[in-house]
Amino acid sequence: MNITESIFGELNGHIIKSYTISNDHGMSVSCIDYGGIITGISVPDREGNIENVILGFDTLEEYINHSPFFGAIIGRAAGRIAGSAFTLDGTVYQLKKNDGEHQLHGGAGGFHQVIWDSDAEKGLNEANIRFSYISPDGEEGYPGTLEVTVNYTLNNENELAISYEAISDKKTIINLTNHTYFNLSGDLKRDILDHEVTMESDHFLELDETLIPTGEFIHVENTPFDFRAGKEIKEGVMSGHQQNVLAGGGYDHPFLLNTGEMTVVDSASGRKLAVETDRPSVVLYTANMLGSDFKIRGVQSKSHLGLCLETQCPPDSVHHEHFPSIVLEKNEVYKTKTSFKFHVV
């Protein structure tokens, strides 16, 4: 295992640090303390060629000017909060809007663009980057001073584990995730339309025209949302299903998980990503709305160039009592973990 540290840029007088963890088998993970962003993950294909398998940039300016949450820590609440408001114990909390009338991914000043404290630790068979941040009471409208720690741990099994821990001095809501866009072709040689996703999920959440969950669970049987036996992304992209069309031609939907295990396979490169989470749902987003006005490490950005597996509680759970709760009691410890393990097939 090895860790290197360098300067990625400067923002408002703060030096932005970059870390790269490399294991003994050719896998490496790079991240920066701006947004806790994972800037690169390099893994071998079936021929042993080591290439980057996520979307990201080489400069801080590109992340600030163009990034649709590439690789970032998302909080305090992932997804959309309807009407940018919620009620706890009779008190209405008004959040800052950044998606029409709604708040998306914690607001414009969310965790994806704060500067986190960071440090690195190396062991014999794993290495860890720890990010920590204290979100003040009222930040983006959320109650409570929230102390957050996120760990990125790479081991010699080609597994990246992301663990989250938080505690608040007031009752609040929290729903953290990571927003990495995966493309297993390697160095963005192809889009993700031929990527096959498998997950044990019997129901997905219906969305309204503003992409807010309606509260209805729809059974996946006989729909493009049935990934139980595996399905290529292009089936949903080319589908005329109302929910696929609504999302911009593809997926931007929460799936309720029967188990916390999912896989993504790119048969051309032989790369397989196995995901394991303790969260009750995942939002599958297939970059349907990825802009085309910038380049990603020399490759023209376009729709369906990556896919996200945002493990979390369902978005807008605070407005749906039958959804898993995202309420965090005062001094209660929030703790969750998702791992991403790479194989070849």
Side-chain angles (χ1 to χ4, degrees):
M1 304 295 301
N2 189 49
I3 300 176
T4 59
E5 182 179 334
S6 61
I7 295 175
F8 194 77
E10 184 177 336
L11 181 63
N12 300 327
H14 295 275
I15 296 296
I16 304 302
K17 290 185 286 188
S18 174
Y19 299 90
T20 297
I21 312 173
S22 304
N23 71 9
D24 299 339
H25 303 292
M27 179 176 173
S28 65
V29 176
S30 297
C31 55
I32 58 176
D33 55 14
Y34 171 78
I37 292 170
I38 299 174
T39 58
I41 298 177
S42 294
V43 296
D45 65 5
R46 68 161 61 93
E47 306 299 329
N49 301 306
I50 297 174
E51 297 168 311
N52 179 47
V53 292
I54 70 169
L55 278 59
F57 298 117
D58 292 324
T59 69
L60 181 62
E61 290 71 25
E62 288 173 294
Y63 279 108
I64 293 171
N65 295 328
H66 300 300
S67 179
F69 306 100
F70 283 168
I73 298 168
I74 301 298
R76 293 187 188 190
R80 293 170 176 85
I81 302 288
S84 299
F86 64 92
T87 302
L88 281 182
D89 295 340
T91 300
V92 177
Y93 295 95
Q94 187 65 52
L95 306 177
K96 293 185 179 181
K97 302 175 183 179
N98 67 328
D99 186 58
E101 291 301 305
H102 312 310
Q103 187 185 88
L104 173 65
H105 290 334
F111 292 172
H112 62 283
Q113 64 171 26
V114 303
I115 300 173
W116 294 68
D117 291 330
S118 60
D119 59 75
E121 184 178 24
K122 183 177 67 172
L124 184 62
N125 288 304
E126 67 177 34
N128 179 74
I129 309 298
R130 179 170 56 247
F131 293 108
S132 57
Y133 176 66
I134 298 176
S135 176
D137 184 19
E139 186 171 50
E140 293 300 301
Y142 292 92
T145 298
L146 187 75
E147 299 181 26
V148 187
T149 302
V150 181
N151 285 280
Y152 296 157
T153 306
L154 177 65
N155 64 26
N156 271 326
E157 303 299 317
N158 282 5
E159 178 182 42
L160 171 65
I162 304 180
S163 56
Y164 309 82
E165 190 166 321
I167 190 168
S168 174
D169 64 359
K170 289 183 183 177
K171 189 174 184 177
T172 190
I173 64 172
I174 185 171
N175 195 17
L176 303 182
T177 193
N178 180 274
H179 211 292
T180 292
Y181 291 66
F182 294 97
N183 182 323
L184 302 184
S185 69
D187 295 337
L188 305 185
K189 289 194 292 295
R190 298 178 298 279
D191 57 34
I192 49 88
L193 294 181
D194 291 332
H195 282 33
E196 181 179 273
V197 174
T198 304
M199 61 176 157
E200 285 291 331
S201 172
D202 296 330
H203 296 88
F204 72 97
L205 270 60
E206 180 185 60
L207 302 178
D208 70 13
E209 65 278 0
T210 63
L211 304 181
I212 293 287
T214 66
E216 294 297 317
F217 298 167
I218 300 180
H219 203 285
V220 300
E221 189 77 27
N222 298 319
T223 76
F225 294 82
D226 189 354
F227 289 95
R228 293 173 297 183
K231 188 181 296 294
E232 293 181 340
I233 293 299
K234 62 186 175 188
E235 292 194 40
V237 171
M238 297 186 297
S239 162
H241 192 288
Q242 180 191 16
Q243 285 289 304
N244 290 124
V245 174
L246 188 71
Y251 303 93
D252 193 5
H253 292 77
F255 290 78
L256 300 176
L257 296 171
N258 303 346
T259 71
E261 298 177 357
M262 298 157 271
T263 61
V264 183
V265 174
D266 174 48
S267 58
S269 68
R271 292 187 179 95
K272 176 181 179 180
L273 169 61
V275 182
E276 188 170 347
T277 185
D278 57 15
R279 295 290 82 192
S281 71
V282 63
V283 173
L284 171 62
Y285 175 53
T286 50
N288 319 315
M289 294 170 278
L290 192 60
S292 58
D293 58 340
F294 59 92
K295 291 188 176 182
I296 305 169
R297 294 180 173 132
V299 176
Q300 187 64 48
S301 178
K302 62 177 183 177
S303 297
H304 310 123
L305 197 57
L307 66 84
C308 302
L309 293 166
E310 304 163 54
T311 57
Q312 57 185 89
C313 287
D316 203 37
S317 286
V318 71
H319 290 130
H320 300 278
E321 290 185 356
H322 60 298
F323 286 9
S325 176
I326 59 172
V327 173
L328 184 69
E329 298 289 342
K330 175 182 177 180
N331 294 329
E332 178 187 1
V333 177
Y334 171 92
K335 203 168 187 178
T336 177
K337 180 180 178 181
T338 296
S339 64
F340 303 88
K341 191 171 185 177
F342 292 87
H343 309 263
V344 290
V345 293

